[in-house]
């Protein structure tokens, strides 16, 4: 990925304004665009252009598609993050375009988790499009149109464009190749054909639309017409009764290093996921214990933070395939997430426990769903109590920074516990400190 986020905002405006102009000259033309994040940027920076897009969406020419916040990576993010991608995306499309998306659109991601069919169905979609597995450099993926079955048995009707690209140039040879490469033509003799210049190239050109118009019904060529992707899937559902099924992960056999490149970025992603989960849990407890008049759940700020995390799960950011400038931007976003979420978490804890500095006991809360034992750092204001009142007569100090540490042992899941300085437990010799 060869440009920073700010350039993406400008590229979207340039490309989509060009497509709006083409729609005036080609009333049959239909243009699909994914990623709710791009639409939100457009609404913030180019509101008049966004309104023109909304108008064309109502006529059916401009098609918001995909249902997710960005076209995310599907290997590194947690299951909760995948759910948030759909939650944020579908909510945005419903609010600004009046409907959610029933086609999950992810043509360029580096492999697809077996969790996805279940999540896709629960998010209100039932169709899936990609073409990335056509780039496999070891095993050729055996299907074009099939039912993808997830771990729980949920399935989505899936199609991989047999043109093997999402940037076709509208040439006769590409249409012919789409028929030759269709691996499930015995069940369905139709396919999707994605055209236009990608990677900031502006999308479809006037010359492409002219060629498509001329190739609509030519002897020797497949018939081609402009349509909403939903029409294709609905027709397949009605006419293809014996599609094959693929169960489990859709593994991509080409791009390597996506679990290791830019390891710091991957670390910040995982820390953000854990931090936001803990923060939301504690804020919910604070809300239920304090009541609306005493504590207000910070829904707006938590949504903003989740949008930043989901943005950085874009399929060319968290896998490590973007330029250095992107990761400097990403570092600043994660710093914002950590700073804000920690403040929210600390405020929620203060509302749950009151003024913690008035007591000498150490309050511990296990935010996981299982019993935990962990070495914890005693806050500075409680350190004197743990040093003077320690019932074991031994105080354990971390060598790296001189902090007092203690063992929180066997804390039940989703439960609070207080540690009295006089009842502190010593750590076993095999417990390692870092």
């Amino acid at each position: 990925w060869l440009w920073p986020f700010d350039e993406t905002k400008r590229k979207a405006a340039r490309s989509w304004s060009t497509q709006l102009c083409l729609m005036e000259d080609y009333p049959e033309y239909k243009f699909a665009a994914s990623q709710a994040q791009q639409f939100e940027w457009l609404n913030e920076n180019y509101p008049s252009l966004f309104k023109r897009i909304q108008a064309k969406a109502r006529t059916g020419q401009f098609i918001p598609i995909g249902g997710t916040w960005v076209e995310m990576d599907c290997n590194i993010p947690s299951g909760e993050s995948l759910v948030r991608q759909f939650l944020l995306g579908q909510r945005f499309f419903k609010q600004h375009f009046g409907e959610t998306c029933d086609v999950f659109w992810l043509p360029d991601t580096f492999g697809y988790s077996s969790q996805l069919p279940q999540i896709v169905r629960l998010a209100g979609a039932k169709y899936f499009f990609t073409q990335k597995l056509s780039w496999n450099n070891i095993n050729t993926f055996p299907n074009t149109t099939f039912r993808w079955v997830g771990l729980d048995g949920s399935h989505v009707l899936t199609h991989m464009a047999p043109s093997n690209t999402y940037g076709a140039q509208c040439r006769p040879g590409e249409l012919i190749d789409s028929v030759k490469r269709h691996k499930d033509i015995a069940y369905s003799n139709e396919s999707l054909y994605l055209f236009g210049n990608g990677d900031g190239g502006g999308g479809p050109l006037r010359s492409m639309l002219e060629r498509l118009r001329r190739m609509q019904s030519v002897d020797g060529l497949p018939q081609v017409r402009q349509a909403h992707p939903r029409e294709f899937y609905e027709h397949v559902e009605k006419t293809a009764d014996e599609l094959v099924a693929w169960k489990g992960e859709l593994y991509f056999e080409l791009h390597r290093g996506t679990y290791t490149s830019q390891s710091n970025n991957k670390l910040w992603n995982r820390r953000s996921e854990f931090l936001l989960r803990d923060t939301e849990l504690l804020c919910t407890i604070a809300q239920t214990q304090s009541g609306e008049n005493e504590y207000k759940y910070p829904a707006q700020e938590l949504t903003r933070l989740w949008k930043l995390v989901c943005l950085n799960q874009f399929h060319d950011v968290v896998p490590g395939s973007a330029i250095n400038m992107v990761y400097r931007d990403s570092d600043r976003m994660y710093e914002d997430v950590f700073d804000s979420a920690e403040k929210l978490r600390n405020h929620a804890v203060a509302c749950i426990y009151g003024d913690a500095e008035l007591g000498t006991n150490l309050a511990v809360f296990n935010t996981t769903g299982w019993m935990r034992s962990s070495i914890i750092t005693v806050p500075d204001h409680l350190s004197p109590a743990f040093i003077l009142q320690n019932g074991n007569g031994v105080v354990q100090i971390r060598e790296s920074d001189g902090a007092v540490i203690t063992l929180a042992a066997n804390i039940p899941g989703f439960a609070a516990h207080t540690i009295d300085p006089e009842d502190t437990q010593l750590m076993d010799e095999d417990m390692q400190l870092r």
Side-chain angles (χ1 to χ4, degrees):
W1 206 40
L2 303 178
W3 46 86
F5 291 109
D6 284 344
E7 183 60 23
T8 302
K9 301 173 186 179
R10 294 185 286 268
K11 283 176 180 287
R14 293 194 298 266
S15 297
W16 294 359
S17 61
T18 299
Q19 304 314 310
L20 292 176
C21 292
L22 290 174
M23 290 173 189
E24 299 300 327
D25 296 334
Y26 298 88
E28 76 276 15
Y29 176 38
K30 299 183 186 300
F31 176 78
S34 64
Q35 307 187 104
Q37 173 69 89
Q38 293 193 106
F39 288 92
E40 183 174 78
W41 281 336
L42 203 71
N43 192 24
E44 292 171 350
N45 300 318
Y46 307 92
S48 60
L49 178 58
F50 183 75
K51 290 180 180 178
R52 291 174 58 198
I53 287 175
Q54 287 179 308
K56 284 297 183 183
R58 287 191 290 270
T59 68
Q61 281 191 275
F62 200 107
I63 304 169
I65 202 165
T68 54
W69 191 246
V70 298
E71 290 186 8
M72 68 285 192
D73 177 75
C74 294
N75 297 310
I76 300 296
S78 67
E80 178 64 27
S81 289
L82 296 178
V83 170
R84 298 293 176 138
Q85 289 283 352
F86 281 97
L87 177 64
L88 293 172
Q90 294 284 47
R91 179 186 293 164
F92 182 91
F93 289 126
K94 178 66 174 179
Q95 178 181 354
H96 294 279
F97 294 96
E99 62 179 6
T100 57
C101 302
D102 53 8
V103 181
F104 175 38
W105 193 264
L106 204 57
D108 198 33
T109 291
F110 314 150
Y112 305 90
S113 166
S114 54
Q115 295 172 296
L116 280 170
Q118 179 183 15
I119 295 173
V120 170
R121 294 305 295 261
L122 291 173
K126 56 181 179 177
Y127 308 126
F128 173 45
F129 173 82
T130 184
Q131 66 84 44
K132 197 67 172 183
L133 269 62
S134 68
W135 295 14
N136 280 2
N137 66 348
I138 299 175
N139 300 296
T140 300
F141 192 78
N143 304 115
T144 296
T145 305
F146 59 98
R147 299 195 184 279
W148 182 22
V149 183
L151 293 178
D152 74 325
S154 299
H155 61 85
V156 289
L157 180 57
T158 301
H159 180 69
M160 298 187 183
S163 58
N164 293 350
T165 182
Y166 46 75
Q169 300 295 300
C170 301
R171 301 191 181 279
E174 294 171 341
L175 298 182
I176 295 172
D177 287 341
S178 291
V179 175
K180 291 180 178 179
R181 295 172 183 158
H182 198 311
K183 303 180 184 71
D184 297 295
I185 201 165
Y187 309 111
S188 173
N189 65 350
E190 293 184 347
S191 66
L192 291 175
Y193 177 76
L194 277 65
F195 62 96
N197 292 332
D199 288 337
L205 305 178
R206 182 178 298 271
S207 57
M208 298 176 188
L209 295 174
E210 283 291 342
R211 287 196 291 270
L212 271 184
R213 180 177 277 183
R214 286 161 171 74
M215 291 188 297
Q216 281 187 8
S217 184
V218 176
D219 287 345
L221 291 179
Q223 292 189 353
V224 59
R225 68 182 180 89
Q226 304 261 2
H228 193 298
R230 183 193 303 121
E231 296 180 43
F232 162 77
Y233 285 100
E234 290 175 343
H235 186 260
V236 170
E237 278 189 320
K238 292 176 182 178
T239 59
D241 298 327
E242 300 181 357
L243 291 175
V244 298
W246 179 278
K247 186 171 184 178
E249 178 185 14
L250 295 174
Y251 179 73
F252 180 46
E253 301 173 352
L254 181 61
H255 295 346
R256 309 300 182 203
T258 58
Y259 282 100
T260 54
S261 299
Q262 295 291 340
S263 58
N264 279 344
N265 195 262
K266 292 173 168 59
L267 177 61
W268 306 150
N269 170 72
R270 186 66 79 239
R271 285 186 177 177
S272 295
E273 291 174 332
F274 289 153
L275 177 59
L276 287 178
R277 183 213 178 263
D278 289 353
T279 301
E280 288 182 324
L281 175 62
L282 293 166
C283 289
T284 301
I285 294 172
Q287 174 78 48
T288 57
Q289 288 193 357
S290 303
E292 293 185 5
N293 295 330
E294 300 176 29
Y295 178 86
K296 183 177 180 181
Y297 186 83
Q300 185 173 353
E301 178 64 5
L302 286 168
T303 298
R304 185 185 74 85
L305 298 181
W306 267 113
K307 286 180 178 180
L308 291 176
V309 173
C310 287
L311 169 60
N312 284 284
Q313 292 172 350
F314 179 68
H315 67 268
D316 272 319
V317 177
V318 75
S321 49
I323 60 173
N324 183 269
M325 290 177 66
V326 171
Y327 294 104
R328 303 296 73 77
D329 289 341
S330 180
D331 288 346
R332 287 189 286 271
M333 292 182 200
Y334 281 126
E335 185 178 353
D336 182 8
V337 171
F338 296 146
D339 181 64
S340 179
E342 287 170 0
K343 290 178 180 177
L344 295 177
R345 182 188 62 186
N346 294 341
H347 178 56
V349 169
C351 290
I352 295 171
Y353 290 105
D355 192 346
E357 296 193 15
L358 295 179
T360 58
N361 288 358
L362 176 60
V364 179
F365 192 96
N366 179 8
T367 58
T368 67
W370 54 88
M371 182 177 290
R372 286 184 64 191
S373 296
S374 183
I375 301 167
I376 60 175
T377 302
V378 177
D380 291 341
H381 69 278
L382 292 180
S383 294
F386 274 74
I387 293 173
L388 297 174
Q389 302 176 31
N390 193 308
N392 293 301
V394 177
V395 178
Q396 294 172 305
I397 304 294
R398 187 163 53 209
E399 184 177 355
S400 61
D401 58 3
V404 176
I405 56 177
T406 190
L407 176 63
N410 301 324
I411 310 300
F414 299 124
H417 181 71
T418 57
I419 300 176
D420 190 319
E422 296 183 1
D423 299 325
T424 55
Q425 299 184 46
L426 295 178
M427 289 162 282
D428 296 333
E429 292 182 359
D430 60 352
M431 284 188 137
Q432 297 181 359
L433 303 182
R434 289 185 290 177

